[in-house]
Amino acid sequence: MKAIVCTRYGGPDVLRLAEVATPVPADNEVLLRVRAASVNALDWRLMRGKPLIARFIAGGMRRPAHAGVGRDVAGEVVSVGTGVTRFAPGDAVFGACIGAFAEYACAKVDRLVPKPAHVSFESAAAVPVAGTTALQALRDSGRIKAGQRILIDGASGGVGTFTLQIAKALGANVTAVCSPANVDAAHAMGADRVIDYTREDFLQDGQRYDLVVGANAHRSIFDYRRALREAGIYVMAGGGGSQILQGLLLAPLLSLAGRRKLRFVGAKLGLGDLHVLQGMLAEGKIVPVIERRYALHEAADAVRHVEAGHARGKAVIVMP
Ligand SMILES: NC(=O)c1ccc[n+]([C@@H]2O[C@H](COP(=O)([O-])OP(=O)(O)OC[C@H]3O[C@@H](n4cnc5c(N)ncnc54)[C@H](OP(=O)(O)O)[C@@H]3O)[C@@H](O)[C@H]2O)c1
């Protein structure tokens, strides 16, 4: 089969289309014919092996332990491991695996759910990592409640577009921060107010929020803290290196003083939340935003585009 492989750390040029053996599912896995896969920031971080922790996740200090690239997947079950009872050949599913940028991939059954029949493979493939991050940021870290005022910074990217839509589905009043090119799209997704960060500073209008989500944080943690009401919560999902360091190191310390809480969300992929997202997809509460579609041999371009930092929604690799 054809697959994208990454056998050394570096820029997108280290991603190669290669002919490799079709994987064989373990007892608790299924073999999927991949129909679509989506790109996450995690993919380019693992490809580069930066920051250093990415090399631990990739399983090797000098080179990745597993050459497969891509986590988010949607496809059809081809065969199942001996311990698998939840799925049978022919089932359409989506979820996460290692090595989604390939014609075939093995995925653990506890990382897969059935794809709603009326949802396309490419839409389903857009959901797992970004959708789980958004859901856990709002519900678990942010303790979102209907009627709350929420600010989302980085609202137009992969995590941000799901955060915006899930926050609206949960009854929040949402202010989205994005560039001018994405203002209309943010309104179309239901944002009550959109701030174009090239013209307006969300700290200058006097508005304060119950919950601020740094889907892709670009400001200092102190700025996000200032945007909170008394007893408000700031949740950081991702952003630049210094923002991530601040989120990991300063958030717990700053939360000790006063009633404002600051948290870093580390998304945990699991069956429970994949089922929640499957339900939201089926009901149309989330409609994945797909900016661009790529063929498998264009995977490096897809990763390059996402790494550039201005993808609108998700970039998806679609198989014929
Ligand atoms: N903690 C976790 O478990 C977890 C899980 C998944 C992802 N992440 C992290 O979350 C972050 C976001 O992921 P993603 O998939 O959403 O990334 P992404 O799709 O690459 O985000 C791109 C978006 O960021 C926006 N952006 C760029 N500069 C901005 C600025 N100055 N102000 C506001 N928005 C700006 C862009 O909007 P404009 O083009 O409109 O500027 C673009 O739509 C990444 O750092 C990723 O590593 C963390």
Side-chain angles (χ1 to χ4, degrees):
M1 69 160 192
K2 290 190 170 49
I4 297 297
V5 297
C6 177
T7 51
R8 61 193 171 92
Y9 295 118
D13 291 342
V14 302
L15 302 182
R16 287 186 298 113
L17 183 67
E19 195 65 38
V20 301
T22 303
V24 177
D27 292 354
N28 62 343
E29 290 182 339
V30 304
L31 176 67
L32 296 176
R33 178 188 161 216
V34 178
R35 299 292 303 276
S38 80
V39 181
N40 289 290
L42 180 65
D43 300 320
W44 60 258
R45 292 191 201 280
L46 293 178
M47 170 191 84
R48 290 205 178 264
K50 287 180 184 169
L52 199 61
I53 190 167
R55 299 192 182 213
F56 285 100
I57 299 171
M61 282 297 120
R62 288 166 165 260
R63 63 185 69 85
H66 189 293
V69 184
R71 300 282 158 136
D72 282 348
V73 69
E76 287 154 346
V77 175
V78 176
S79 63
V80 303
T82 52
V84 175
T85 53
R86 283 180 56 227
F87 297 113
D91 287 353
V93 297
F94 72 101
C97 66
I98 296 177
F101 300 174
E103 290 178 318
Y104 295 89
C106 285
K108 292 190 169 37
V109 276
D110 60 0
R111 295 286 184 277
L112 291 176
V113 289
K115 179 183 74 66
H118 61 285
V119 172
S120 67
F121 283 103
E122 51 192 78
S123 286
V127 172
V129 169
T132 299
T133 307
L135 178 65
Q136 294 178 0
L138 290 165
R139 182 198 59 199
D140 304 340
S141 305
R143 314 239 170 102
I144 185 172
K145 292 184 194 63
Q148 284 186 325
R149 296 187 76 89
I150 297 188
L151 178 90
I152 302 168
D153 199 12
S156 45
V159 174
T161 47
F162 285 111
T163 309
L164 199 170
Q165 295 182 57
I166 294 171
K168 285 307 299 173
L170 297 176
N173 178 294
V174 175
T175 298
V177 182
C178 59
S179 67
N182 290 318
V183 167
D184 289 346
H187 277 301
M189 280 183 283
D192 299 279
R193 185 170 169 231
V194 182
I195 294 179
D196 163 2
Y197 63 72
T198 64
R199 297 162 61 100
E200 247 186 290
D201 176 350
F202 62 77
L203 282 174
Q204 299 304 320
D205 61 5
Q207 197 58 247
R208 295 296 176 258
Y209 300 88
D210 301 295
L211 174 59
V212 173
V213 179
N216 205 0
H218 283 82
R219 303 279 292 259
S220 129
I221 196 168
F222 298 99
D223 285 350
Y224 294 115
R225 189 168 182 265
R226 278 174 56 209
L228 293 176
R229 284 181 175 163
E230 187 69 20
I233 299 176
Y234 168 57
V235 180
M236 186 192 158
S242 68
Q243 280 80 8
I244 291 176
L245 264 184
Q246 288 182 345
L248 288 169
L249 301 178
L250 292 183
L253 292 176
L254 292 171
S255 297
L256 293 173
R259 295 177 62 208
R260 297 183 180 93
K261 300 296 171 210
L262 300 94
R263 298 176 179 141
F264 183 85
V265 61
K268 294 177 190 66
L269 274 175
L271 214 45
D273 283 346
L274 283 174
H275 275 300
V276 173
L277 293 163
Q278 174 204 44
M280 289 183 153
L281 255 183
E283 291 168 24
K285 289 181 175 164
I286 52 173
V287 179
V289 176
I290 298 175
E291 181 189 21
R292 292 193 196 175
R293 292 158 180 82
Y294 297 82
L296 183 60
H297 70 272
E298 297 170 321
D301 293 336
V303 172
R304 193 176 284 112
H305 175 61
V306 173
E307 188 182 12
H310 290 281
R312 178 188 297 166
K314 300 284 297 183
V316 176
I317 293 165
V318 181
M319 308 297 168

